[in-house]
Amino acid sequence: MEAGYNPRTVEEVFRDFKGRRGGLIKALTTDVEEFYQQCDPEKENLCLYGFPSEQWEVNLPAEEVPPELPEPALGINFARDGMQEKDWLSLVAVHSDAWLLAVAFYFGARFGFDKSDRKRLFNMINELPTVFEVVTGAAKKQQREKSSVSNHSSNKSKSNSKMRASDAPDKVLKLQTKEEEEELDEEEEDEHGDTLCGACGENYASDEFWICCDLCEKWFHGKCVKITPARAEHIKQYKCPSCSNKRSRP
């Protein structure tokens, strides 16, 4: 990839971060059709790389173990056809954000950044919207969501761990005039707008089937975890893929 390329100061690492971030955003927005085509589920484990030059590449992971730099999320191509394109791109964006931070703090650790250097680097990074926020257009909505996030955890109960459009309040299911409809949409959004899918990171929508993991209590779109309403009826205790993996390891 980029053997021998090592930014050493906070400013250099930040510049490296910005370049890689620019490349990833390009892949997921302006070059999205080309990116989509390259992520063929028939191929092996593919990764999305961003480079300091603001270029991007879909490629197999590095062969050496451990690699020169932290690796991006493996196998992004496998999920491509199992999700709506928008949800899949959001999922790749979330993993891309995690990778960008991993690379930046890898350089920080390698070149001995102290507490104040790390803090300065993180603050510079934190001033930029994340790849996810850019791809989903969430940056604008963020302030409103922040204010309602604290209400959500106290409102959940395990007995309500499977949620469908048919469980929504009656008012949502009645036929409305356009104006009434818009008002109700806003109310519905305010009520559940802070609920994000643990798989794709997208918001709750009243016309979709959702399911809650009984272990980690995160909510998921049924389609993201391949659970249908019919199947959910027969599940006594639902474990999301992440919790299932944790439990099965020795």
Side-chain angles (χ1 to χ4, degrees), residues 35 39 44-49 57-62 71-77:
F35 169 66
C39 290
E44 296 175 65
N45 269 311
L46 293 173
C47 302
L48 171 61
Y49 292 89
E57 176 182 66
V58 169
N59 211 334
L60 296 168
E71 287 290 320
L74 273 178
I76 54 169
N77 49 314

Side-chain angles (χ1 to χ4, degrees), residues 162 211 214 227 230-239:
K162 298 171 186 71
I211 188 162
D214 287 310
I227 300 286
R231 195 170 156 207
E233 297 298 324
H234 303 288
I235 298 174
K236 284 183 182 165
Q237 187 192 45
Y238 174 66
K239 288 189 223 171

Side-chain angles (χ1 to χ4, degrees), residues 65 136 178 211 217:
V65 179
T136 60
K178 194 151 195 261
I211 188 162
E217 294 194 348

Side-chain angles (χ1 to χ4, degrees), residues 41-245:
E42 298 298 311
K43 293 183 180 170
E44 296 175 65
N45 269 311
L46 293 173
C47 302
L48 171 61
Y49 292 89
F51 298 123
S53 57
E54 294 196 24
Q55 298 305 308
W56 61 273
E57 176 182 66
V58 169
N59 211 334
L60 296 168
E63 285 181 17
E64 73 267 28
V65 179
E68 171 71 14
L69 287 177
E71 287 290 320
L74 273 178
I76 54 169
N77 49 314
F78 296 143
R80 189 192 77 177
D81 295 349
M83 306 169 74
Q84 286 187 3
E85 183 175 346
K86 177 171 68 82
D87 296 338
W88 176 67
L89 292 173
S90 300
L91 182 63
V92 175
V94 168
H95 285 291
S96 297
D97 282 318
W99 177 67
L100 285 171
L101 277 179
V103 171
F105 279 78
Y106 165 83
F107 285 133
R110 183 163 173 182
F111 295 109
F113 287 7
D114 61 16
K115 185 178 176 182
S116 65
D117 280 344
R118 291 195 305 272
K119 189 172 181 181
R120 193 152 65 89
L121 174 60
F122 184 75
N123 285 342
M124 288 162 81
I125 287 170
N126 215 23
E127 286 302 308
L128 297 171
T130 63
V131 176
F132 174 77
E133 286 166 351
V134 173
V135 169
T136 60
K140 294 167 193 164
K141 298 186 295 187
Q142 208 178 31
Q143 282 313 110
R144 198 186 54 166
E145 282 174 8
K146 267 185 191 163
S147 63
S148 59
V149 143
S150 55
N151 303 331
H152 180 58
S153 50
S154 57
N155 293 342
K156 272 191 311 202
S157 73
K158 284 205 175 181
S159 62
N160 185 28
S161 68
K162 298 171 186 71
M163 177 162 67
R164 267 172 296 179
S166 57
D167 302 329
D170 290 343
K171 62 180 183 184
V172 180
L173 302 178
K174 288 177 193 161
L175 288 171
Q176 301 113 1
T177 66
K178 194 151 195 261
E179 278 176 20
E180 284 174 331
E181 214 169 83
E182 281 168 9
E183 280 174 30
L184 290 175
D185 279 351
E186 278 172 27
E187 283 176 36
E188 183 73 14
E189 248 183 56
D190 287 344
E191 199 178 327
H192 294 293
D194 51 318
T195 310
L196 299 179
C197 172
C200 71
E202 284 288 296
N203 286 46
Y204 165 80
S206 59
D207 59 347
E208 293 176 301
F209 169 69
W210 278 59
I211 188 162
C212 182
C213 174
D214 287 310
L215 295 181
C216 67
E217 294 194 348
K218 282 184 186 159
W219 288 90
F220 298 87
H221 290 109
K223 63 175 185 274
C224 290
V225 288
K226 297 188 170 61
I227 300 286
T228 61
R231 195 170 156 207
E233 297 298 324
H234 303 288
I235 298 174
K236 284 183 182 165
Q237 187 192 45
Y238 174 66
K239 288 189 223 171
C240 69
S242 172
C243 289
S244 299
N245 288 343

